[in-house]
Amino acid sequence: MAIAGALVIPVNRDDEKNLVVKLNLLPGVEVQKSGLRGIAVVLEAEDTETIKDISKQIEQWREVIGFELAYLNWEELSKGND
Amino acid sequence: MNITRRAFVKSAASAAAISMSGLVSGKAFADSAIQFHRAQCRFCGTGCTVLAGVKGGRVVSVKGDADSPINFGRLCMKGYQLAHIMDGKDRLTKPLVRQGDGSFKTVSWEQALDLVAEKFAKLIESEGPDSVAWYGSGQNTTQEAFAANKLFKGIIGTANVEGNPRLCMASAVGGYLNTFGADEPAGGYDDFEKADCYFIIGSNIAENHPMLFRRVIDRKSAYPERIKVIVADPRYTPSARYADLHLKFKPGYDMHLLNSMAQVIVEEGMVDEEHLGYCSFRKGLKTAGEFTDLAAFKLFLADYAPEKVADQVGVPAADIRKAARWYGQQGRTALSLWCMGINQRTKGVQLNCQIHNLHLLTGKIGKPGSDSLSLTGQPNACGGTREQGGLTHLLPGHRAVANAKHRQQIAGIWGLPEDRLPKKPTGPAINMFMRLAEKKIKAIWINTTNPGQSLPEVGKYRKAMQEAFTVVSDVYPGRTTELASVILPSAMWVEKEGIMGQTDRRSQFISKAVEPPADAKSDFWQIREVSSRIAKKLGVKTDFRVLDPENGNVKTTRSVYGLGFKTEKEAWDEYRLCTRGTDVDLWGATYEKLKAHSGGVQWPCPSTDFKNRGSAKRFISKAYAEEHFANTRTAYKTGYVTLYDQHMQDKGLDGPVNYYGAHPFHAGSKGKAIIRVMAAGLSFEMSDELYPYVLNTGRVIEHWHTGTMTMRVRMLKEMNPGAYVELSPEDAGKLKVDNGDMLKIVSRRGEIVLPAWVTKRAQPGMVFVPWFDENKLINLLTISDPKSWSGAGEPDYKVCAVKLSKA
Ligand code: SF4
């Protein structure tokens, strides 16, 4: 199990609303807040490899200039149902 | 329990992301299960401050340090993978010695160290000290680099001390010395938040210094109209994509572009007359050319008017004018940033000087938000090499091997007889490998670097390394260890303690957080052990003085075979003493301070006062700062830096602005900066009929240098698994090549076949290949000919002529 916190940085502030919608549609991604410097998200996946796939996908979106991890944890965590 | 833990980790992830978004600061989550240790990222020269989370003796979490004035809690994707670089399955964990049949045999440390010492000592005695050499790295800690310098220049007595920073930043050093008479920048990272115009040239900062680029994005997002980002680069990189203006010049024509911007600045009256009072004009580099003046410079520049050079440069005249105006308008600040695109060039020193010229002409230096800031490639190229003196011509504290007074000072501190130190330099890095190939150097110790992959025209030197007695200290097997006679397994990153110095005169502490695997040992330990063995064999004793860290007084002396200092802290204290009173004064950078302050200390820092973290600005007096700026200090979460030069104050140097450099290149300048008047020149090897394309090499965001570490991180490897060649859609059309087709690239020195990536990043006539892939050695094609070197001995990795064909 891997959990990451990240910041998605839009090329243009005008794209922000659309980006939030797109991000929330991605499995394992939860938008936390949208701030001055970007959109804060939490990513949850089976392993860091899947986190990589999701981040790569987001990074390649036309509206995105940067994807920055803020936190990454890959301890043994069971998924549970909370 | 696990569910709770998972919820907790999610909250921590959320808080970290929110705090980076600039909203409410994320609630600090105290994670009692994990113990965090402060360190510095060991990748790029940004030097982000990192917290490595340890649980059960392993690093299980990594986060940026929110207290850091460098990265404010953020890290890029490489930074987040730091823990995984230690976990590769093929870590070197035992010393290995090559056997007659070419295989490697595991030996004990005693055997390996004895063998290295014996071989080196025998050669030194029979063939002289210049028969052995050290090739270090901008990734050694400062203590390691200092220990190696003392061993080779002090105990052995050879100037055969070089390192890979020669290949990345020597031209930047040449530029600072020629212009200011003193190496390293006048300002620093604090200028990012005050800059109005970012002039980024020869740097893909978005990929190679991502966290500094974030500071650009933040500033631009806050003031989208006021802030202008100009990127000058032949490639349409992610940095260029973000820019307000991309100056996509033809490869090799940047000297023309910079002179053209200077022409607009002078012609349109954007010159700062007051600041010109602190400058002089001189023709060419160093001291051969005569001093001249602004009127003559203006006449000289007339040939570079944008309308005259636009076609040659490949940039519309209107864009050159726009760039010069955005940069040069009075009342606005400007920050220039550059890296290997400028330094790894035949005209590297001149290009550096031209960038400084623009700042000096417009007075955009020595003020908050304005600086001419050369970005460092590696995390300790500044600290361990430039400041510490890890090149053939240098001694610690910006001193010179050829200067008798400097030798006397360093021999005194090292506790060694003065006449053991070499009196003149031998040769820069490539020259050292040439002498290895000629068998003038017979044994070499390569430490924390991978020249078997990274040297230009590498095919020539791989054989030399294989035939010599080559000792390689590394963490993983690679293209250099395969050539070694002895492999010493090293500890890395938070498996050892050390100090590193970054781009903006900053030194930071790395705490040891975990044990290295099996028998791997720190490089500091390795150098210390080899030193005592060699010193004993040579009969050289060191009078090591144990110092009082507060006042530098000698507490006791011990006469020993070897370096004298036993710990990293003792080595640092001896090094601090070497810098005391120099422009790179780190006397105030005590262990206590470096450990306590996130983001470390910026020299000059003569004061040991705990809160004093050094000088954010150089060359300006306290009186000047008081007169011009609202504040003379910048407060950080802990401590402060001054907006004036504490070295000037300490030494009582005159003048409101004093470019005090006493370097011989600066002779006759009388404390003024020198605007260098230089005709534009081209690279050593431009494209021609036979080789009609230009090959450019560089790094990518996923990988660090030769990929030794990052190719072992699954996430990074899968993101970018192998080398490719970027080429433009126009050239792809001409060559009838599609994405993924194999393309043969041939230079005058070698050839390679790579998959094509057809992209607008490349401009017609130019291809780009990254150099992280050990299975695809692009450096077989690059140039090492001394005629291609910059004035500072740095080869041209950025422009070489190639031909292309579909494979
Ligand atoms: S920007 Fe450089 S120093 Fe910072 S985390 Fe990334 S690689 Fe490390």
Side-chain angles (χ1 to χ4, degrees), chain A residues 17-29:
Chain A
K17 270 194 183 152
N18 284 344
L19 258 181
V20 169
V21 175
K22 274 176 84 171
L23 284 164
N24 270 325
L25 288 173
L26 284 178
V29 177

Side-chain angles (χ1 to χ4, degrees), chain B residues 715-741:
Chain B
M715 177 167 165
L716 298 174
K717 184 175 178 182
E718 289 182 5
M719 276 176 151
N720 200 336
Y724 50 83
V725 50
E726 264 180 37
L727 85 162
S728 69
E730 292 85 343
D731 290 333
K734 267 196 245 166
L735 295 158
K736 302 200 177 5
V737 168
D738 274 335
N739 260 330
D741 285 350

Side-chain angles (χ1 to χ4, degrees), chain B residues 120-142:
Chain B
F120 272 66
K122 264 193 182 155
L123 280 167
I124 295 160
E125 279 170 341
S126 62
E127 311 213 14
D130 288 345
S131 62
V132 301
W134 167 267
Y135 188 64
S137 166
Q139 294 159 69
N140 284 121
T141 66
T142 300

Side-chain angles (χ1 to χ4, degrees), chain B residues 390-710:
Chain B
L391 296 175
T392 182
H393 61 297
L394 296 175
L395 288 171
H398 283 171
R399 290 182 178 85
V401 158
N403 183 316
K405 195 167 146 207
H406 291 176
R407 288 198 302 275
Q408 186 192 32
Q409 289 165 343
I410 293 301
I413 296 170
W414 277 350
L416 286 159
E418 193 188 324
D419 59 7
R420 281 215 74 79
L421 273 63
K423 294 186 178 50
K424 52 180 195 204
T426 49
I430 304 298
N431 172 279
M432 203 163 91
F433 282 96
M434 285 173 167
R435 282 181 287 132
L436 193 73
E438 291 162 5
K439 304 207 182 322
K440 288 178 181 156
I441 293 174
K442 298 202 165 135
I444 186 166
W445 189 351
I446 296 166
N447 193 297
T448 326
T449 183
N450 190 4
Q453 183 173 342
S454 59
L455 291 180
E457 213 171 342
V458 68
K460 261 188 181 175
Y461 308 111
R462 287 179 55 79
K463 189 166 173 271
M465 284 180 252
Q466 193 158 27
E467 287 175 359
F469 181 74
T470 299
V471 181
V472 181
S473 299
D474 212 329
V475 292
Y476 288 110
R479 299 308 302 264
T480 308
T481 55
E482 70 188 7
L483 309 171
S485 316
V486 179
I487 300 173
L488 303 177
S490 295
M492 70 193 298
W493 194 44
V494 291
E495 293 167 354
K496 61 184 184 180
E497 168 182 313
I499 289 163
M500 288 194 169
Q502 297 85 56
T503 292
D504 69 338
R505 297 177 280 108
R506 186 185 301 273
S507 291
Q508 290 189 83
F509 189 80
I510 298 178
S511 324
K512 180 174 173 180
V514 291
E515 288 301 322
D519 283 349
K521 298 275 188 193
S522 77
D523 298 286
F524 180 80
W525 181 89
Q526 294 174 24
I527 300 162
R528 196 191 69 190
E529 291 299 310
V530 170
S531 297
S532 50
R533 283 166 171 79
I534 290 182
K536 205 167 203 170
K537 286 178 193 296
L538 299 180
V540 180
K541 278 206 160 179
T542 298
D543 290 326
F544 176 68
R545 285 116 36 108
V546 182
L547 304 173
D548 182 322
E550 274 307 307
N551 54 28
N553 293 341
V554 179
K555 288 207 285 195
T556 53
T557 302
R558 48 178 194 247
S559 184
V560 292
Y561 288 117
L563 300 168
F565 41 74
K566 289 185 185 150
T567 63
E568 285 90 344
K569 183 180 181 305
E570 283 184 347
W572 179 253
D573 284 339
E574 187 169 293
Y575 173 60
R576 281 170 58 220
L577 191 63
C578 292
T579 68
R580 194 177 195 180
T582 69
D583 66 326
V584 53
D585 198 329
L586 276 160
W587 179 248
T590 58
Y591 242 49
E592 192 192 12
K593 262 202 234 183
L594 289 167
K595 280 183 174 176
H597 297 305
S598 176
V601 167
Q602 264 179 299
W603 60 262
C605 182
S607 166
T608 51
D609 170 36
F610 186 72
K611 286 196 170 155
N612 188 327
R613 299 176 58 174
S615 313
K617 288 283 176 191
R618 287 171 94 191
F619 308 129
I620 57 174
S621 67
K622 190 172 183 198
Y624 181 89
E626 279 167 351
E627 192 187 328
H628 288 79
F629 317 135
N631 299 310
T632 56
R633 287 177 175 189
T634 300
Y636 292 149
K637 283 198 178 157
T638 57
Y640 66 88
V641 288
T642 60
L643 281 179
Y644 55 84
D645 186 326
Q646 292 177 30
H647 170 69
M648 268 177 81
Q649 194 190 28
D650 203 38
K651 289 274 172 187
L653 292 172
D654 287 346
V657 177
N658 187 329
Y659 295 105
Y660 48 74
H663 195 273
F665 293 177
H666 216 238
S669 67
K670 300 185 182 132
K672 292 184 174 189
I674 302 179
I675 293 170
R676 298 285 177 173
V677 183
M678 292 166 307
L682 297 171
S683 284
F684 169 70
E685 192 180 75
M686 299 294 282
S687 54
D688 54 29
E689 272 183 23
L690 280 179
Y691 296 86
Y693 293 88
V694 164
L695 167 69
N696 181 291
T697 63
R699 297 185 290 192
V700 291
I701 192 164
E702 296 87 357
H703 292 295
W704 171 249
H705 281 194
T706 55
T708 313
M709 293 174 284
T710 49

Side-chain angles (χ1 to χ4, degrees), chain B residues 41 43-48 75-76 78-79 208-211:
Chain B
C41 174
F43 292 125
C44 84
T46 303
C48 294
L75 295 174
C76 76
K78 276 199 291 286
N208 294 325
H209 297 84
M211 291 305 97

